[in-house]
Amino acid sequence: MEQILIVDGYNIIGAWPELSKLKDTDLEGARDGLIHMLAEFQSFSGMKVYLVFDAYMVPGLGKKYVQNKLAVLYTKEKETADERIERLVTNLMGRRKEIFVATSDMIEQHVIFGKGALRMPAKELLVKIKQNRKEVRERIVPETTTKRNPFGGKLSDEMKAKLERWRRGE
């Protein structure tokens, strides 16, 4: 079953303490931080992630681009992120698809639940991202620290003895 995660960008930035603190001084930095975290999450979890940012007061047609293999969507003029997320859920809904929407907006959670998507509160998404990072570290660290000489484990005892004699000049 294909799993899809749609993230309400500014809602998540406001809900996560680290990004919320950053947005007060550097909104672009907070957006980039969220994009980076979600790109890592997507690559490890296997879920397709769509990140939606609200550009309600910004004139234009809206944009969609891919950064680090993550689909980043900006709403068009006079369109809210909630409207874009609802339309995205409707368009993506199908057989053998499980759609999650990450937002802490209770009204939006009820609307998307009515459309057949599953809700994921901001704090739950943060927990999942931290768990993924921990799993990645656990997979990487043991492999790099325990295997000092992987070639030596593949040699027969006879070959090891012969190489040792050559090393000593015998």
Side-chain angles (χ1 to χ4, degrees), residues 133-146:
R133 284 182 173 175
K134 182 180 176 189
E135 287 178 35
V136 167
R137 274 194 304 273
E138 287 173 356
R139 286 186 184 183
I140 292 172
V141 171
E143 289 178 10
T144 57
T145 57
T146 58

Side-chain angles (χ1 to χ4, degrees), residues 3-4 27 55 57 67 77 79 92 112 125 130 136 144:
Q3 291 188 321
I4 299 169
L27 183 59
M57 300 299 282
Q67 183 174 337
E77 186 178 5
E79 178 185 41
L92 293 172
I112 58 95
L125 178 59
K130 287 180 178 179
V136 167
T144 57

Side-chain angles (χ1 to χ4, degrees), residues 6 43 48 60 63 73 90-91 98 118 127 158 161:
I6 303 170
S43 65
K48 175 65 180 153
K63 290 188 221 174
L73 306 142
T90 302
N91 292 342
E98 194 171 36
L118 301 168
V127 167
E158 181 183 327

Side-chain angles (χ1 to χ4, degrees), residues 56-71:
Y56 183 76
M57 300 299 282
V58 179
L61 300 172
K63 290 188 221 174
K64 177 182 179 181
Y65 66 95
V66 177
Q67 183 174 337
N68 298 333
K69 297 184 180 180
L70 177 75

Side-chain angles (χ1 to χ4, degrees), residues 20-118:
S20 181
K21 202 181 300 180
L22 182 59
K23 83 170 176 154
D24 295 334
T25 56
D26 184 13
L27 183 59
E28 188 175 339
R31 274 195 309 257
D32 289 343
L34 180 60
I35 289 169
H36 178 73
M37 285 190 268
L38 291 174
E40 281 181 352
F41 178 75
Q42 175 178 257
S43 65
F44 186 75
S45 70
M47 292 179 92
K48 175 65 180 153
V49 179
Y50 293 87
L51 176 58
V52 179
F53 285 113
D54 195 345
Y56 183 76
M57 300 299 282
V58 179
L61 300 172
K63 290 188 221 174
K64 177 182 179 181
Y65 66 95
V66 177
Q67 183 174 337
N68 298 333
K69 297 184 180 180
L70 177 75
V72 180
L73 306 142
Y74 284 91
T75 63
K76 52 188 170 184
E77 186 178 5
K78 298 190 181 183
E79 178 185 41
T80 65
D82 293 350
E83 292 169 336
R84 182 69 170 116
I85 289 168
E86 291 163 20
R87 198 170 71 238
L88 199 55
V89 167
T90 302
N91 292 342
L92 293 172
M93 191 58 68
R95 297 175 81 191
R96 306 198 40 81
K97 288 185 180 179
E98 194 171 36
I99 300 175
F100 297 87
V101 176
T103 182
S104 290
D105 182 343
M106 288 303 291
I107 294 170
E108 183 63 11
Q109 287 181 3
H110 290 297
V111 171
I112 58 95
F113 193 67
K115 291 184 175 284
L118 301 168

